[in-house]
């Protein structure tokens, strides 16, 4: 594997799960692979889990790790070509990217949807420029349309906790005060196709995801109906795709509560975190024994390390 931008690149899910299990059980077995290799993690947006788990994954593989926060300490970057740079931006991405490539062997990039242009976001203009101009293998640490390392960790967590071969997984929209990207839910849909679970999406009218992701997947606008018989509930907020980037609803009847969980088949609760308590999910549910949010976050090291290992093997 050279670049990693979508969970669908994992290919066969059982094989990808077996590789992750090996890494989880033998975290320091591949230290020689990363020796004298430098990992650069570039963040255009905030992060707790991705920042720490991806650093840890690199360290477990024997790599040297550098983290760059673009917003804190780097020059303000222009991203449009052809602009007369007489404003507050001191450097162009077209120089910054190849320069970053000079200092490392592999680059991870976090660059959220900016909600300025649906077309630019869905064409992944920032991530693709790193792929085009850095001269290095590039992996996504959540780009505009996908968060594949999160999805890989979500799938590992489900696989570890499932009690039937093909569990029913419900991904439900839940309310949030701010406009959040569709990257996590889009990517989760790709993961569900890869693992071939019994999968349903519940979201209010106006919140259907991009058809290129949801084609072939049932989308229901009645949350209670979908929760019946669920083995896993994956909650997430996202802003509207059709009314691109808008918050159309903060309907708290979509918050995942104990009453909602009672409709399920004793389902486990998942969320990628960070989560707004008592908007997305109640204190009671996230603190319940059904909640897998911490083991899910722990698996972020496993997903990052498994992917990094494959990229290192391809160098
Ligand atoms: C981001 C999102 O929803 O894409 C990151 C999640 C991993 N969440 C927030 O910005 C709160
Ligand atoms: N789940 C996740 O990616 O969290 P961070 O935004 O804190 O990295």
């Amino acid at each position: 594997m050279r670049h990693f931008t979508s969970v669908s690149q994992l290919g066969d899910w059982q094989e990808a799960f077996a590789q992750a299990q090996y890494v989880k059980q033998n975290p320091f077995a591949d230290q020689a692979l990363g020796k004298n290799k430098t990992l650069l993690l570039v963040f255009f947006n905030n992060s707790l889990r991705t920042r720490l788990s991806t650093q840890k994954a690199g360290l477990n593989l024997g790599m040297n790790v550098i983290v760059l926060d673009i917003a804190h300490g780097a020059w303000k970057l222009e991203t449009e070509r052809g602009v007369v740079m007489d404003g507050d931006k001191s450097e162009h991405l077209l120089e910054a990217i190849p320069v970053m490539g000079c200092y490392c062997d592999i680059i991870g990039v976090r660059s959220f949807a900016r909600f300025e242009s649906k077309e630019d976001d869905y064409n992944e203009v920032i991530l693709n420029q790193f792929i085009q101009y850095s001269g290095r293998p590039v992996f996504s640490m959540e780009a505009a349309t996908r968060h594949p390392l999160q999805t890989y960790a979500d799938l590992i967590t489900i696989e570890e906790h499932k009690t039937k071969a093909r569990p029913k997984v419900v991904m439900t929209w839940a309310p949030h005060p701010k406009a959040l990207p569709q990257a996590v839910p889009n990517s989760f849909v790709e993961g569900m196709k890869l693992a071939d679970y019994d999968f349903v999406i519940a979201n209010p009218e106006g919140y259907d995801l991009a058809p290129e992701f949801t084609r072939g997947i049932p989308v229901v606008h009645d949350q209670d109906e979908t929760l019946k018989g669920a083995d896993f509930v994956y909650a997430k907020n996202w802003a509207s795709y059709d009314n691109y980037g808008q918050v159309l609803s903060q309907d708290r009847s979509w918050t995942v509560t104990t009453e909602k969980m009672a409709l399920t088949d004793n389902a486990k609760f998942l969320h990628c975190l960070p989560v707004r308590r008592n908007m997305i999910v109640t204190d009671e549910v996230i603190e319940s024994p059904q909640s897998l949010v911490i083991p899910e976050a722990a698996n972020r090291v496993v997903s990052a390390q498994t992917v990094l290992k494959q990229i290192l093997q391809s160098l």
Side-chain angles (χ1 to χ4, degrees), residues 265-276:
D265 191 5
N266 199 26
K268 304 285 189 195
F269 176 82
L270 294 159
H271 188 281
C272 64
L273 306 181
V275 73
R276 295 215 181 201

Side-chain angles (χ1 to χ4, degrees), residues 110 112 142 147 150 176 180-181 183-184 236-237 272-274:
R110 165 160 288 201
F112 288 176
E142 184 171 344
H147 192 359
Q150 179 64 50
H176 191 283
L180 298 188
V184 170
K236 184 72 185 84
N237 174 268
C272 64
L273 306 181

Side-chain angles (χ1 to χ4, degrees), residues 34 65 69 71 79 113 125 183 227 240 243 247 249 264 266:
V65 188
D69 282 299
T79 57
V125 291
L227 289 174
S240 175
N243 293 291
V247 176
S249 164
T264 71
N266 199 26

Side-chain angles (χ1 to χ4, degrees), residues 238-271:
W238 59 89
S240 175
Y241 175 75
D242 287 332
N243 293 291
Y244 192 61
Q246 289 184 31
V247 176
L248 308 176
S249 164
Q250 292 188 42
D251 183 354
R252 299 262 288 277
S253 72
W254 283 74
T255 301
V256 179
T257 61
T258 302
E259 295 69 38
K260 297 276 185 180
M261 291 300 282
L263 298 170
T264 71
D265 191 5
N266 199 26
K268 304 285 189 195
F269 176 82
L270 294 159
H271 188 281

Side-chain angles (χ1 to χ4, degrees), residues 116-133:
E116 288 164 10
S117 153
K118 185 190 239 180
E119 202 188 334
D120 282 2
D121 286 346
Y122 273 72
N123 285 328
E124 291 286 6
V125 291
I126 303 292
L127 184 68
N128 282 330
Q129 289 188 75
F130 274 87
I131 290 172
Q132 199 175 346
Y133 299 120

Side-chain angles (χ1 to χ4, degrees), residues 6-33:
S6 162
V7 77
S8 56
Q9 287 172 254
L10 292 177
D12 178 68
W13 167 239
Q14 285 312 321
E15 175 61 26
F17 180 57
Q19 284 169 1
Q21 278 181 304
Y22 176 83
V23 164
K24 190 164 184 167
Q25 283 154 17
N26 306 278
F28 308 116
D30 296 296
Q31 291 240 322
L33 258 184

